Amino acid sequence: MKTSLKGLSLAVAAALPFISFSSVAMFNGADARGGAMGGTGVASAQYLTASFYNPAMATNYTKGDDFGMILPMVAAGVHDSDELYDKIDEFQKVNDRLSNNPSLETLEEWKQALLALNNGEVEVDARVGASVALPNRYASANLFLSAQVASMAKANIVESDLVTPDPDNLASSVQGLAGGTVDMGITLAREFALPFQGHRLSIGVSPKFQKVMALNYLAKVSQFDDNDFDLDDRNEENTFNVDVGLAYKPANTVTFALAAKNLLEQELDTNVSQGTKATFLVEPKYTAGMAYDNGWFLLAADLDLNKQRYFTGADYETQFARVGVELDAWSWVQLRAGYSHSMTDYSEDMVTAGLGLTPFGLFGLELAGQYGEDDHYGVAAQLAFMF
């Protein structure tokens, strides 16, 4: 069974060049740099990653920045607090033994293995991204592609299976869900001088083409097989969405920002599997941020202003408060660390860290790692080129 569930996630991830999925926040952050800093970026993103956090931050560039690109950014995360992979694998082995050679000892082991699965969940996500940026004082512009994948698997144990055990005819099941969006668009931002000495306001917008996808797969615990999981069963639709953002700088070192992602709410029903379906949600997300940056030291904080749901009927939602720091050594090496606090019971607090290497200021390699309790892990890397 371990192979089956992993195969489910890998099968969905194989579609990344063509489909993007809204993440279930296993990796906290939209790129490697922000991910290393606790997932912050609304007030601290650089012009290259503004499209991923806050369109207004496309104006966050220096005089020497004329052109830049990220190709690629990759990240992945997993949360398996219930060790569902191992437990389903163990149950299927015991279930086979009970079918072939029933005994009271095996029956008791079978019941315990089945009970151990009840309400167990595992979430896996992966993402890729790319951007091309042309910063300037008239209208900074970014072309971007954001591709993410998220899959959830949950076991549901039916009490009648424990009352009248029948290993060949179980009602208990495992359901796999995947859903998300392809985001491909353009970011436009401009900075305005305010009628206060040194105060500036940036406004940004990211209209984008969006492909929404949803997939459902349900099978009995004893029969769950990745060979039956078929991406061709997915439902999808093409639509339009938009992100907007503001960034206010009362001084050169201080930024206050607000970003709104996916302002147009989208819903898409999954395919029907074994008589069941779910509805995938793309809901607006509002985040406030602040940052202090004196050139060699950066302190950033982000706060999600609303909770994020992903599927109707699925008991899962996320909301985070994040903080991060960056130490920049002569624009050659950047050391980063951060912390993200989960404001719901469906995710874990995470400690983050990372490293940036930007020799000669011409290209950059960013690495990030994240760790939380209950087998919650995330990693990311990206390459950037600046001219």
Side-chain angles (χ1 to χ4, degrees):
M1 188 54 197
K2 183 187 299 184
T3 302
S4 299
L5 281 174
K6 288 182 177 178
L8 183 151
S9 298
L10 292 172
V12 179
L16 272 173
F18 314 100
I19 302 172
S20 156
F21 302 79
S22 181
S23 170
V24 188
M26 295 306 101
F27 180 81
N28 209 330
D31 78 316
R33 177 177 179 263
M37 297 168 59
T40 57
V42 170
S44 56
Q46 298 170 331
Y47 72 97
L48 273 171
T49 56
S51 301
F52 306 143
Y53 291 98
N54 179 357
M57 296 304 292
T59 63
N60 187 25
Y61 64 92
T62 64
K63 291 183 178 180
D65 295 323
D66 298 316
F67 172 82
M69 63 185 297
I70 292 177
L71 189 68
M73 186 282 295
V74 295
V78 61
H79 187 197
D80 186 16
S81 60
D82 299 300
E83 298 182 350
L84 190 61
Y85 287 159
D86 295 332
K87 290 179 180 178
I88 294 180
D89 187 43
E90 178 62 26
F91 171 77
Q92 288 198 331
K93 292 178 182 178
V94 177
N95 191 69
D96 290 341
R97 292 206 308 270
L98 184 62
S99 296
N100 297 327
N101 186 24
S103 67
L104 290 177
E105 182 179 355
T106 305
L107 178 60
E108 182 60 29
E109 185 181 357
W110 181 90
K111 289 182 178 180
Q112 294 300 319
L114 186 61
L115 275 172
L117 298 177
N118 195 33
N119 293 322
E121 290 188 21
V122 59
E123 297 90 24
V124 179
D125 81 81
R127 63 185 68 188
V128 299
S131 70
V132 177
L134 294 169
N136 63 85
R137 62 189 180 91
Y138 301 105
S140 291
N142 288 14
L143 294 175
F144 67 92
L145 169 67
S146 176
Q148 305 170 341
V149 58
S151 61
M152 304 170 61
K154 182 174 182 178
N156 179 36
I157 305 307
V158 178
E159 187 176 356
S160 61
D161 286 339
L162 296 167
V163 176
T164 56
D166 185 354
D168 298 319
N169 188 27
L170 291 171
S172 300
S173 61
V174 176
Q175 184 178 26
L177 293 172
T181 61
V182 151
D183 286 349
M184 182 170 60
I186 184 171
T187 294
L188 297 172
R190 184 169 180 177
E191 185 179 78
F192 300 89
L194 297 179
F196 312 102
Q197 183 65 34
H199 291 228
R200 291 167 290 163
L201 177 68
S202 294
I203 300 175
V205 60
S206 295
K208 58 190 181 182
F209 167 83
Q210 193 168 71
K211 180 185 288 289
V212 183
M213 175 272 189
L215 182 63
N216 175 38
Y217 173 50
L218 181 73
K220 295 179 181 180
V221 175
S222 58
Q223 299 174 350
F224 197 88
D225 189 341
D226 63 341
N227 291 326
D228 297 327
F229 180 81
D230 191 350
L231 284 171
D232 291 336
D233 293 334
R234 70 186 184 271
N235 289 343
E236 61 181 45
E237 66 179 14
N238 297 328
T239 186
F240 171 85
N241 221 315
V242 62
D243 306 333
V244 297
L246 299 172
Y248 167 59
K249 296 179 74 71
N252 287 332
T253 57
V254 179
T255 304
F256 299 95
L258 180 66
K261 306 277 288 183
N262 296 317
L263 283 179
L264 305 179
E265 184 173 339
Q266 311 290 341
E267 294 186 3
L268 180 64
D269 290 338
T270 67
N271 57 296
V272 177
S273 179
Q274 301 295 319
T276 69
K277 69 177 182 179
T279 301
F280 176 66
L281 305 173
V282 180
E283 296 183 320
K285 179 181 179 181
Y286 306 100
T287 308
M290 61 177 297
Y292 170 81
D293 185 2
N294 65 9
W296 66 271
F297 173 76
L298 169 64
L299 173 65
D302 285 5
L303 176 66
D304 292 341
L305 302 180
N306 64 319
K307 295 179 181 179
Q308 289 294 112
R309 299 182 302 155
Y310 303 93
F311 290 93
T312 58
D315 191 19
Y316 191 94
E317 57 186 14
T318 59
Q319 186 177 12
F320 292 93
R322 310 175 181 91
V323 64
V325 296
E326 177 184 72
L327 300 177
D328 189 348
W330 304 287
S331 298
W332 278 60
V333 179
Q334 296 79 39
L335 300 177
R336 305 178 180 116
Y339 187 82
S340 65
H341 168 64
S342 175
M343 301 168 67
T344 71
D345 295 329
Y346 303 100
S347 190
E348 299 293 333
D349 294 356
M350 298 194 75
V351 176
T352 68
L355 175 69
L357 301 173
T358 53
F360 306 106
L362 297 178
F363 67 93
L365 171 64
E366 314 283 358
L367 302 172
Q370 301 183 346
Y371 171 77
E373 293 183 353
D374 296 330
D375 293 328
H376 196 165
Y377 304 98
V379 293
Q382 70 192 46
L383 284 173
F385 303 89
M386 297 82 71
F387 304 98

